[in-house]
Every structure is written in structure tokens, then in C-alpha cells.
Amino acid sequence: MKAQVVLFDGFDPLDVIGPYETLTAGGIPAELVTVEGAREVPAGLGLLSLKATARLDPGAGLVVVPGAAALRDDEVFDLLTAGAATVGPALKDTSGIIATVCGGSLLLAIAGLIKGRNATTNHLGLQALESMGVNAVRARIVDDGDLVTAAGVTSGVDLGLHLLERLAGAHKAVEIEELFAHERRGTAWRAA
């Protein structure tokens, strides 16, 4: 299985690096991608840029969508809306698992991809998620089968560990947890 972490202009760097590094450390190859293909992608707040090396493949086994970074909530929403316009259509026919960190689930909701599904996002966006027809769950991780969402910006490592446990087994997840000297926190909610 291959993981693709989708970059878009204004992405939040921690949303990207947490799951990317956790998955690769656990033996799941990961790459940074965009809808357009290889390019330098600026993060939000002008913090840094990362180089996407490939084009998004909706047939990849795992696609991770980050949130956005900005000083004001309306700026974050604008970045997520712009991301939804490009990333959303490309994910319409995804056959594997879609995972999100923080506002990544809002991006999917704006694109109309998760209406009626169980998901979480940053606590500041739960009401917005609910207003778009998503069953917003207040939990660190929400596992709804082929949709796995993580709450806040610091939950990316927890998301990566949860995905490792699902895909490579509990032993591998605990091994990486120990390697990172990180203890998972919060509730991992699973759909029945």
C-alpha cells in the first residue's frame, strides 16, 4: 500500500508532517502530491513550502488531506474552500481510505464528499462540519471505515498511528509510538 499526502496552497505543515513521518516510519511508503503534479507548494502563514513529487492518484490505497493555516478563521475557510475546488473533484472516485487532519474534513465537506458520514475536525470547526450535513463527532480520531478523520493540528501523529494499527497491526503501531516517544491520546471513535 502507498500513502499520498495531498498538498494545496495554504496547507498546515504540521497536518502534513505528522502523518507523513509516522506512516513512513511504520513502513508504509508515503509521498507528497498535488492535483496538478510535482510543484513547490506554499504553506499557510508563509511558514515554508514543501515539494510535491507526484500527481494525486485517487487509486492510491490511502490519501491524507490536511487542513489549512491562517491567522483568522475566515482566512482558513477561504483556503479550505479553494482547496476543495481543486482537491475535491480529484477525490470523488477514490477507492481506498481517505484520512484527514484538522480542517481537512471541512475541505471534504465543502466539496460535498462526506455528507451523512461520521467525522471530526478541530473543535472550532465542529459546528461548521455539522452545518454541512456531516455527523460531527467530538473525538480525537473518528474511524468511519474508508473515512478516518483526526481532530486538531496536533492529532496528525495519532492519526498516523491509528492508520498503522489498522494497516500493519498493533505491534507496528506500538513500535513507532515507542520510537517517537509519543503516547496516543484522546478517544478513537469507531462506527459500529
Side-chain angles (χ1 to χ4, degrees), residues 120-145:
T120 194
T121 190
N122 183 291
H123 67 281
L124 298 173
L126 287 170
Q127 190 173 25
L129 198 60
E130 190 81 34
S131 74
M132 289 183 254
V134 177
N135 178 30
V137 179
R138 186 176 284 275
R140 183 91 166 156
I141 305 290
V142 173
D143 188 330
D144 195 31

Side-chain angles (χ1 to χ4, degrees), residues 56-115:
L56 172 64
D57 174 10
L62 172 61
V63 175
V64 180
V65 180
L71 291 176
R72 297 189 338 254
D73 290 344
D74 60 331
E75 292 173 329
V76 170
F77 196 77
D78 289 346
L79 290 169
L80 292 173
T81 300
T86 56
V87 176
L91 291 177
K92 196 171 190 169
D93 298 319
T94 300
S95 57
I97 298 168
I98 297 178
T100 68
V101 181
C102 199
S105 59
L106 285 167
L107 185 152
L108 296 182
I110 293 165
L113 298 176
I114 60 172
K115 191 172 186 170

Side-chain angles (χ1 to χ4, degrees), residues 169-192:
H171 286 46
K172 180 55 78 177
V174 169
E175 175 187 321
I176 301 308
E177 194 172 320
E178 290 175 354
L179 175 69
F180 286 3
H182 174 79
E183 292 181 24
R184 286 186 259 183
R185 48 178 286 226
T187 301
W189 184 94
R190 293 176 202 248

Side-chain angles (χ1 to χ4, degrees), residues 3-7 11 16-17 20 30-34 37-39 41 49-56:
Q4 291 193 323
V5 182
V6 183
L7 302 179
F11 71 90
V16 170
I17 299 303
Y20 177 87
E31 60 186 344
L32 302 177
V33 302
T34 68
R39 71 178 177 96
V41 185
S49 63
L50 292 176
K51 181 157 180 65
T53 58
R55 180 181 305 274
L56 172 64

